[in-house]
Amino acid sequence: MSGMRPTGRLHIGHYFGVLLNWVRFQSQYESYFSIVDWHALTTKYANSRAIKADIWEVALDWLAVGIDPEQSTIYVQSAVPEIAELHLLFSMICPQNWVEREPTLKDMVKMLAANESEAAEKITYGMLGYPVLMTSDILSFRGELVPVGKDQESHLEFSRDIARRFNHIYGVDYFQEPKPEFTSTPLLRGTDGQKMGKSFNNDIKIADTAEDTIKKCKSMVTDRTRVARKDPGHTDICEVPWPLYQVVGQNLTAQVKEECESAAIGCVQCKERLAGCINEYFAPMRERRAKLAADPDHVFKLLEHGNIKARKVAMQTLAEVREIMGMVTWSSLNS
Ligand code: SF4
């Protein structure tokens, strides 16, 4: 089980870091992939109307890169309200200091607030409960494996703790502790050499046109010590193009290294060639995306199919959890 916040069109860092792994997993495991729109509210609550369009863009990107609704269950988190109820039940058993010590929250505080008083204003109750909702996302589907990078292992530890605590409190062995499925994520930087991100305006989108890609590649930071065209370059300190060659132009890396280090090629020419590799790699996905975007009814049906499938599983889990907890349902109150 894994999810992604809808933040609009995805970039090639998302593709090589996350989506490519999902495409591989879907043929090995029963997979659930969620567009987690409630999670988007933690930071976008004041701009909530924009989330709808972002859900659409993410769905198009997922389908275009090969997340296959026949193999995986693709759904929108808010279309499965049982996740919210399980989140509420988990929030009752989750000790306060567990959420406060969460590294995710600490990262968000750093990102959103300049000082303590700003943090008090911006850090909402919903944001504090973010790991509890994430746990509900996973455990609603009795998720056993969650693809994570090594640096995100601690996030999953929280869900494991909640699963263990639930089992302990109610004397059951119901929830399995979800395990991390470690994925390798190539370090791809944005065109300016910083972390690739939409908000930094330095990303190359999966859906970019070939022309946009060429333009963006031209602005990439290379080996900063290479001043003149005749200077030999150093691939080991070439910040953006060289790591990208490793993923989109593997058949060219020996040639690029040789030509770079002997100054047989300039960075301008090298980046043009890289743009060609990126465009060639993503051309079939871009074509598929354009076709899907032209047929919104079809995409809607695919998502709806996933929502129904996901909801069935989450309803079952919630019914079993209520039973374990001895919770009443309204219809059973007087029976
Ligand atoms: Fe990087 Fe290519 Fe320039 Fe070498 S020639 S520094 S690999 S962009």
Side-chain angles (χ1 to χ4, degrees):
M1 193 281 146
S2 198
M4 201 180 261
R5 281 155 51 114
T7 52
R9 293 185 174 192
L10 303 175
H11 55 64
I12 62 174
H14 292 121
Y15 174 78
F16 288 108
V18 180
L19 298 176
L20 195 52
N21 287 318
W22 289 9
V23 171
R24 288 186 191 129
F25 288 148
Q26 66 183 355
S27 56
Q28 297 171 39
Y29 305 112
E30 187 187 345
S31 304
Y32 289 83
F33 299 124
S34 174
I35 301 176
V36 288
D37 52 339
W38 282 326
H39 283 289
L41 282 176
T42 52
T43 51
K44 276 186 160 180
Y45 55 84
N47 193 19
S48 48
R49 287 186 185 89
I51 296 173
K52 186 174 155 189
D54 288 345
I55 292 173
W56 197 250
E57 298 292 354
V58 169
L60 287 175
D61 281 330
W62 284 13
L63 294 166
V65 302
I67 309 289
D68 177 1
E70 292 295 320
Q71 292 191 74
S72 311
T73 305
I74 304 172
Y75 60 99
V76 178
Q77 183 189 33
S78 62
V80 186
E82 289 71 21
I83 295 171
E85 186 172 333
L86 191 63
H87 162 250
L88 181 140
L89 297 176
F90 283 159
S91 74
M92 300 300 166
I93 67 165
C94 175
Q96 178 188 333
N97 63 353
W98 283 17
V99 282
E100 286 172 346
R101 74 176 184 210
E102 250 307 272
T104 320
L105 179 74
K106 287 182 187 151
D107 291 348
M108 280 194 173
V109 172
K110 257 192 246 156
M111 192 176 83
L112 291 171
N115 52 50
E116 255 180 52
S117 69
E118 207 178 301
E121 160 101 4
K122 288 201 170 159
I123 307 306
T124 63
Y125 170 61
M127 188 181 289
L128 199 65
Y130 182 97
V132 187
L133 183 56
M134 192 185 81
T135 301
S136 177
D137 284 321
I138 300 167
L139 297 186
S140 287
F141 301 94
R142 317 281 300 275
E144 292 170 29
L145 283 177
V146 179
V148 288
K150 197 78 185 132
D151 55 330
Q152 302 162 316
E153 194 179 356
S154 62
H155 301 172
L156 193 60
E157 202 48 47
F158 184 94
S159 302
R160 294 165 60 81
D161 288 346
I162 293 278
R164 216 168 18 239
R165 188 166 163 84
F166 179 91
N167 290 344
H168 173 73
I169 290 173
Y170 300 105
V172 289
D173 190 16
Y174 181 68
F175 286 120
Q176 270 197 33
E177 292 175 33
K179 293 189 182 72
E181 172 79 24
F182 290 116
T183 54
S184 61
T185 306
L187 183 64
L188 301 180
R189 298 176 197 275
T191 51
D192 57 359
Q194 306 303 309
K195 187 174 184 261
M196 192 183 289
K198 180 185 172 184
S199 46
F200 307 125
N201 202 21
N202 66 359
D203 59 348
I204 296 176
K205 303 247 188 325
I206 294 168
D208 274 346
T209 62
E211 294 70 35
D212 283 343
T213 305
I214 294 167
K215 208 165 133 198
K216 288 179 180 181
C217 284
K218 278 185 186 160
S219 70
M220 281 175 180
V221 178
T222 62
D223 165 5
R224 293 181 199 250
T225 66
R226 192 178 188 195
V227 182
R229 164 69 182 81
K230 62 177 178 22
D231 297 339
H234 307 85
T235 50
D236 53 335
I237 52 169
C238 172
E239 292 184 31
V240 189
W242 178 248
L244 272 165
Y245 268 113
Q246 311 304 309
V247 289
V248 293
Q250 282 159 340
N251 56 336
L252 289 173
T253 50
Q255 186 189 342
V256 172
K257 189 173 171 59
E258 200 278 315
E259 289 176 351
C260 166
E261 292 174 359
S262 64
I265 192 172
C267 288
V268 172
Q269 202 184 342
C270 187
K271 289 190 280 187
E272 273 168 15
R273 183 164 58 187
L274 174 66
C277 294
I278 296 173
N279 283 336
E280 197 181 319
Y281 189 98
F282 285 99
M285 301 179 217
R286 288 170 173 171
E287 202 179 310
R288 205 155 44 228
R289 195 185 195 283
K291 277 192 192 140
L292 288 160
D295 192 356
D297 287 349
H298 175 61
V299 175
F300 181 81
K301 278 190 193 125
L302 294 177
L303 284 180
E304 195 179 36
H305 173 72
N307 291 344
I308 293 167
K309 226 169 121 192
R311 195 158 182 211
K312 215 168 140 196
V313 179
M315 281 169 98
Q316 174 75 25
T317 304
L318 185 61
E320 287 167 4
V321 165
R322 281 176 174 169
E323 202 178 315
I324 290 166
M325 293 176 73
M327 300 288 295
V328 289
T329 54
W330 176 241
S331 57
S332 70
L333 193 60
N334 65 353
S335 63

